[in-house]
Amino acid sequence: MYMVRICSIGAASQDVFMSGKDIKSHLDPVEHVDVESFKLGAKLEAEKIDFATGGGATNAAVTFARQGLDSSFIGKLGRDISAHGVIVELDNENVNTQNVVYDETNGTQYSTILLTDSGERTILIYRGVANSHKPADYENLDFTQYDWLYISSFGGAMDALDCIFQIASRLGKKIAFNPGGAELAQMDKLKPLLEDVEILIVNKDEAQLIVEGGNIEELARHLLHFVPLAIVSDGPNGVTACDGKTVVRAGMYEDVKVVDRTGAGDAFGSGFLSQWVIGRSLKDSIVFASANSTSVVTKIGAKAGILSKGVVLHAMPLSEKPF
Ligand SMILES: Nc1ncnc2c1ncn2[C@@H]1O[C@H](COP(=O)(O)OP(=O)(O)OP(=O)(O)O)[C@@H](O)[C@H]1O
Ligand SMILES: [Mg+2]
């Protein structure tokens, strides 16, 4: 059987999760927001530590691989121990890393995640290579060997993204795009890229930066002015997908205890694409995306909960109607 070949492009990182009773949130009486704050000079005990790799693109690549697709990752790594951790994990997951770009001066992205027992977290992030994408890093890449590109957070490097989109469009490769905050902050440069996008996956707040709309269905419909297939998610409140023929509106897959929401969006977008590329319907692809992301939030780290091929899904609240 033909194996669809997907290349996931974007961020990779080494993540360290720390939790324990000293790591907790409280309501700031002045700002009226939940904060995790630590007294200067304090030494806080973390009873639990988990090492995991992250970065939207490596998380997505693992979904594709676990779903039995031919999966590759392209992004930047430094020459350091974190890069080694990322490569070892991707090798173990059967993700091809032969086209990874190495940066000789900046370090691999690294995050320390301070997890509270409610599943919320504060992240200390060193971006390193994730802020150093240049067109020259990608201009000689050959995408002929892939059928689809899944492009996610790119540190706002719009020139490098433009270069990647141009190569892909020259070769007629299909693009699924899950832009990050740094790309969405540059709407004048983002909108022209959407011309080459087949599938756009954004959450509600992100969709509202691109189009107007009072609810996620309106937002998804309006996004079809830019792309043939749009998906707008809204955390536990559900998701709407439109492909110009059908509108699928789905609720919560399962009311789970959220342990760590890192990677929810990645598992959702990649989960959708993993099914769509093998010819599953809009509805079935949304069910899998929802199941994949719901599973991810029940585990620490962005990859541990990613579903493997053959997992049995259950029904979920969902409606389907003509566009
Ligand atoms: N609390 C939750 N309970 C169950 N499922 C959840 C929860 N939060 C998120 N999900 C699942 O993850 C999907 C994507 O979540 P969300 O809409 O928050 O994406 P996002 O804002 O892009 O996430 P990220 O911050 O990871 O990029 C949802 O559609 C849902 O299936
Ligand atoms: Mg997201």
Side-chain angles (χ1 to χ4, degrees), residues 116-130:
T116 68
D117 59 7
S118 63
E120 293 305 319
R121 77 285 200 256
T122 304
I123 305 180
L124 283 173
I125 182 161
Y126 163 73
R127 293 202 187 269
V129 294

Side-chain angles (χ1 to χ4, degrees), residues 178 203 206 265:
N178 177 214
N203 67 29
E206 294 163 346

Side-chain angles (χ1 to χ4, degrees), residues 153 178-180 201-203 206 233 264-266:
S153 306
N178 177 214
I201 305 138
V202 283
N203 67 29
E206 294 163 346
S233 65
D266 304 330

Side-chain angles (χ1 to χ4, degrees), residues 169-190:
S169 113
R170 218 162 38 230
L171 296 169
K173 301 297 171 183
K174 291 185 172 149
I175 297 177
F177 192 26
N178 177 214
E183 288 78 64
L184 287 152
Q186 302 175 71
M187 204 46 74
D188 53 326
K189 292 185 175 160
L190 184 97

Side-chain angles (χ1 to χ4, degrees), residues 120-121 153 178-180 201-206 231-240 250-258 261-269 286-298 316:
E120 293 305 319
R121 77 285 200 256
S153 306
N178 177 214
I201 305 138
V202 283
N203 67 29
K204 186 181 179 189
D205 296 340
E206 294 163 346
I231 306 170
V232 182
S233 65
D234 186 17
N237 302 319
V239 45
T240 295
M252 195 193 256
Y253 181 73
E254 214 173 286
D255 193 2
V256 293
K257 174 169 163 44
V258 177
R261 72 171 320 288
T262 316
D266 304 330
F268 184 84
I286 287 293
V287 172
F288 182 79
S290 305
N292 200 38
S293 49
T294 302
S295 171
V296 160
V297 303
T298 64
M316 66 182 288

Side-chain angles (χ1 to χ4, degrees), residues 1-286:
M1 204 181 87
Y2 180 73
M3 247 180 161
V4 179
R5 303 160 305 172
I6 307 185
C7 181
S8 180
I9 304 180
S13 71
Q14 174 67 60
D15 296 344
V16 179
F17 294 79
M18 301 185 93
S19 53
K21 60 179 180 327
D22 284 354
I23 300 170
K24 52 184 184 285
S25 66
H26 62 269
L27 188 68
D28 183 296
V30 182
E31 302 278 340
H32 298 288
V33 288
D34 285 323
V35 293
E36 281 181 271
S37 57
F38 309 109
K39 213 175 277 163
L40 183 66
K43 192 177 266 184
L44 302 153
E45 302 288 328
E47 282 107 32
K48 191 165 185 294
I49 185 160
D50 290 275
F51 291 88
T53 67
T58 74
N59 299 338
V62 167
T63 294
F64 302 137
R66 288 196 192 165
Q67 288 304 305
L69 303 170
D70 180 327
S71 176
S72 301
F73 161 72
I74 295 180
K76 280 184 103 172
L77 296 176
R79 297 278 186 197
D80 51 19
I81 185 88
S82 305
H84 179 72
V86 169
I87 293 290
V88 167
E89 176 134 51
L90 294 179
D91 281 350
N92 289 341
E93 292 284 351
N94 222 357
V95 173
N96 183 314
T97 54
Q98 71 182 29
N99 284 327
V100 160
V101 179
Y102 284 94
D103 187 310
E104 303 299 333
T105 43
N106 299 288
T108 303
Q109 181 167 308
Y110 183 98
S111 293
T112 302
I113 297 141
L114 305 174
L115 262 188
T116 68
D117 59 7
S118 63
E120 293 305 319
R121 77 285 200 256
T122 304
I123 305 180
L124 283 173
I125 182 161
Y126 163 73
R127 293 202 187 269
V129 294
N131 273 349
S132 74
H133 299 283
K134 292 176 195 64
D137 296 325
Y138 302 97
E139 65 195 6
N140 294 321
L141 286 178
D142 183 5
F143 296 149
T144 16
Q145 59 188 305
Y146 313 119
D147 302 307
W148 278 86
L149 303 184
Y150 179 90
I151 302 178
S152 46
S153 306
F154 217 66
M158 304 311 279
D159 294 347
L161 268 184
D162 189 50
C163 169
I164 289 168
F165 275 66
Q166 277 187 37
I167 302 172
S169 113
R170 218 162 38 230
L171 296 169
K173 301 297 171 183
K174 291 185 172 149
I175 297 177
F177 192 26
N178 177 214
E183 288 78 64
L184 287 152
Q186 302 175 71
M187 204 46 74
D188 53 326
K189 292 185 175 160
L190 184 97
K191 279 189 175 162
L193 294 181
L194 297 181
E195 267 174 40
D196 293 319
V197 172
E198 185 82 13
I199 305 178
L200 180 67
I201 305 138
V202 283
N203 67 29
K204 186 181 179 189
D205 296 340
E206 294 163 346
Q208 279 169 335
L209 297 172
I210 309 173
V211 290
E212 295 193 348
N215 56 53
I216 57 176
E217 179 169 338
E218 235 171 74
L219 289 162
R221 283 174 180 273
H222 292 170
L223 287 172
L224 291 197
H225 294 304
F226 294 95
V227 295
L229 200 170
I231 306 170
V232 182
S233 65
D234 186 17
N237 302 319
V239 45
T240 295
C242 291
D243 66 356
K245 296 186 206 89
T246 317
V247 181
V248 170
R249 171 88 242 244
M252 195 193 256
Y253 181 73
E254 214 173 286
D255 193 2
V256 293
K257 174 169 163 44
V258 177
V259 173
D260 166 30
R261 72 171 320 288
T262 316
D266 304 330
F268 184 84
S270 59
F272 179 86
L273 190 65
S274 71
Q275 305 304 296
W276 183 253
V277 299
I278 58 165
R280 293 268 151 78
S281 66
L282 192 63
K283 172 178 157 246
D284 289 349
S285 302
I286 287 293

